[in-house]
């Protein structure tokens, strides 16, 4: 079934409570979900700040539950983390991303198009993440620079030692690194210095007020300048209005992502969008 808009998700209101029957059922279901391969990726396009050029995509995990429909990642990612299943599912996500890259390259996708995958804190200490990523990049013939891993400040904060080692390894195999939800952690500047990421994704909460508030606009402009000084590219997240897009373009934001231009979509629809924008 195809779903979109606000009623896309099936929520489990009691799932916060670890011992609730609802929660226990969901935990049992998620083991089944891994076995039965009920997960799939949706793709949200990224554009140049002018909005006319599509230059990348973020892969977002979806769980199509057999009875309950689409379950939100906000609900099941924590569950995957707590059960340790995130390692296996995380590799699945990277494999799907690599497979998509290969398929699209066969249809003419240029090498400067980026495909981003989210990594959670738990995965930073997964000893196989790096070797599996390397294996998959070879198996699917992924050129250096096309695959991007997104890590949040919070996970870097939780696992700084593992993160540093992983970053070095990823860089060596040509994977680009983005700091996700930039600005929402504390000590953001420290991460820029320590991890030297390729990309910053400015969190939606910073983008939201830029139309109404010049102060917030100046803050975002300052973040972009700082990033550019360090040769880091910037993505603005959660762009919903044309006025936000125009401001981000004006202050030199490199790329933008948000419902204004494209929602996350199943692969078939996303590929049609790629055709429309002339990238494949
Ligand atoms: P995120 O990485 O910050 O991803 C952006 C989220 O914002 C996505 O929600 C996306 O659908 C939503 N979004 C994009 N544009 C807009 C907009 O204009 N307005 C609004 N209101 N929302 C927008 P989604 O797909 O529900 O994912 C939620 C979170 O789940 C992600 O946040 C990420 O932290 C996590 N997640 C998703 N897929 C994966 C995955 O494969 N692995 C891991 N570890 N985490 C994932
Ligand atoms: Ca992300
Ligand atoms: Ca984000
Ligand atoms: Ca987020």
């Amino acid at each position: 079934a195809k779903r979109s808009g606000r009623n896309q998700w099936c929520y489990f209101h009691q799932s916060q409570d670890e011992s609730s029957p609802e929660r226990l059922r969901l935990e049992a279901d998620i083991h089944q979900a891994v076995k039965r391969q009920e997960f799939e990726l949706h793709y949200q396009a990224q554009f140049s700040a002018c909005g006319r050029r599509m230059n990348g995509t973020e892969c977002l995990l979806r769980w199509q539950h057999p009875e309950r429909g689409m379950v939100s990642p906000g609900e099941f990612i924590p569950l995957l983390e707590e059960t340790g299943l995130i390692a296996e599912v995380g590799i699945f996500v990277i494999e799907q991303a690599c497979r998509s890259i290969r398929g699209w390259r066969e249809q003419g996708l240029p090498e400067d198009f980026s495909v981003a995958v989210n990594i959670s804190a738990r995965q930073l200490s997964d000893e196989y993440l790096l070797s599996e990523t390397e294996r998959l990049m070879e198996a699917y013939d992924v050129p250096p620079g096309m695959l991007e891993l997104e890590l949040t400040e919070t996970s870097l904060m939780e696992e700084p030692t593992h993160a540093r080692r992983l970053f070095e390894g990823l860089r060596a195999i040509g994977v680009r690194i983005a700091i996700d939800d930039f600005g929402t952690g504390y000590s953001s500047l420290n991460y820029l210095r320590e991890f030297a990421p390729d990309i910053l994704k400015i969190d939606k909460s910073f983008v939201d007020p830029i139309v109404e508030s010049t102060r917030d606009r100046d803050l975002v402009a300052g973040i972009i300048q700082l990033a550019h000084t360090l040769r880091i590219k910037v993505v603005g997240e959660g762009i919903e209005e044309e006025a936000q897009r125009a401001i981000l373009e004006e202050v030199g934001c490199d790329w933008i992502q948000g419902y204004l231009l494209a929602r996350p979509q199943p692969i078939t629809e996303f590929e049609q969008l790629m055709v429309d924008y002339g990238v494949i």
Side-chain angles (χ1 to χ4, degrees):
K2 190 181 140 193
R3 291 154 209 267
S4 61
R6 298 203 182 279
N7 299 318
Q8 187 175 14
W9 308 115
C10 160
Y11 286 100
F12 303 92
H13 296 290
Q14 294 164 14
S15 66
Q16 304 300 339
D17 176 359
E18 306 221 335
S19 58
S20 76
E22 185 72 29
R23 159 77 191 221
L24 293 174
R25 212 169 307 133
L26 198 58
E27 202 174 305
D29 286 355
I30 207 152
H31 281 94
Q32 285 296 319
V34 174
K35 283 202 200 106
R36 295 182 186 154
Q37 304 183 329
E38 291 166 6
F39 295 104
E40 63 176 61
L41 295 189
H42 282 196
Y43 298 83
Q44 186 178 29
Q46 291 176 349
F47 300 85
S48 56
C50 68
R52 285 186 294 270
R53 211 176 83 86
M54 194 200 290
N55 64 277
T57 186
E58 177 176 0
C59 305
L60 293 157
L61 193 58
R62 298 291 180 254
W63 176 13
Q64 187 65 56
H65 190 286
E67 287 124 41
R68 310 184 202 210
M70 201 81 94
V71 184
S72 155
E75 299 263 351
F76 71 79
I77 299 282
L79 211 53
L80 287 175
E81 290 178 337
E82 286 155 30
T83 52
L85 291 167
I86 191 71
E88 187 177 343
V89 176
I91 300 298
F92 161 83
V93 172
I94 294 171
E95 175 151 23
Q96 291 297 311
C98 289
R99 180 177 291 143
S100 297
I101 290 174
R102 183 174 68 185
W104 296 334
R105 290 239 300 141
E106 285 164 3
Q107 299 175 66
L109 184 73
E111 282 186 26
D112 61 1
F113 192 92
S114 64
V115 177
V117 161
N118 292 285
I119 297 292
S120 55
R122 272 291 294 264
Q123 291 175 270
L124 292 176
S125 54
D126 173 5
E127 54 177 324
Y128 295 110
L129 181 67
L130 182 61
S131 55
E132 283 295 280
T133 304
E134 184 172 21
R135 181 181 68 79
L136 291 167
M137 283 174 72
E138 269 169 29
Y140 292 96
D141 213 4
V142 174
M146 275 191 100
L147 184 67
E148 208 171 281
L149 298 191
E150 296 188 0
L151 292 113
T152 64
E153 287 180 319
T154 323
S155 51
L156 295 181
M157 197 170 73
E158 285 170 22
E159 295 278 356
T161 315
H162 285 123
R164 207 168 297 122
R165 195 172 323 136
L166 180 66
F167 272 36
E168 281 165 20
L170 289 171
R171 213 179 292 281
I173 61 171
V175 174
R176 295 202 299 175
I177 293 150
I179 296 194
D180 204 356
D181 302 350
F182 185 77
T184 59
Y186 57 89
S187 188
S188 302
L189 297 182
N190 212 21
Y191 298 115
L192 292 191
R193 190 183 59 186
E194 274 207 49
F195 296 103
D198 302 286
I199 296 141
L200 283 191
K201 300 192 75 177
I202 301 183
D203 193 66
K204 183 178 190 310
S205 60
F206 285 83
V207 171
D208 281 340
I210 60 174
V211 179
E212 277 72 38
S213 153
T214 50
R215 206 176 143 74
D216 286 296
R217 182 184 316 182
D218 293 345
L219 177 60
V220 167
I223 294 172
I224 294 169
Q225 266 182 25
L226 174 65
H228 286 171
T229 306
L230 299 170
R231 285 176 292 279
I232 297 170
K233 298 282 189 184
V234 181
V235 182
E237 285 198 280
I239 309 336
E240 295 181 348
E241 301 164 25
E242 167 54 25
Q244 293 171 331
R245 187 209 61 74
I247 291 167
L248 287 175
E249 183 179 14
E250 195 188 302
V251 298
C253 187
D254 300 286
W255 302 309
I256 54 173
Q257 190 180 339
Y259 294 171
L260 174 71
L261 290 142
R263 284 180 177 257
Q265 298 170 302
I267 189 154
T268 323
E269 285 148 56
F270 178 68
E271 287 177 346
Q272 183 56 53
L273 194 68
M274 293 175 96
V275 171
D276 295 343
Y277 276 86
V279 295
I280 57 171

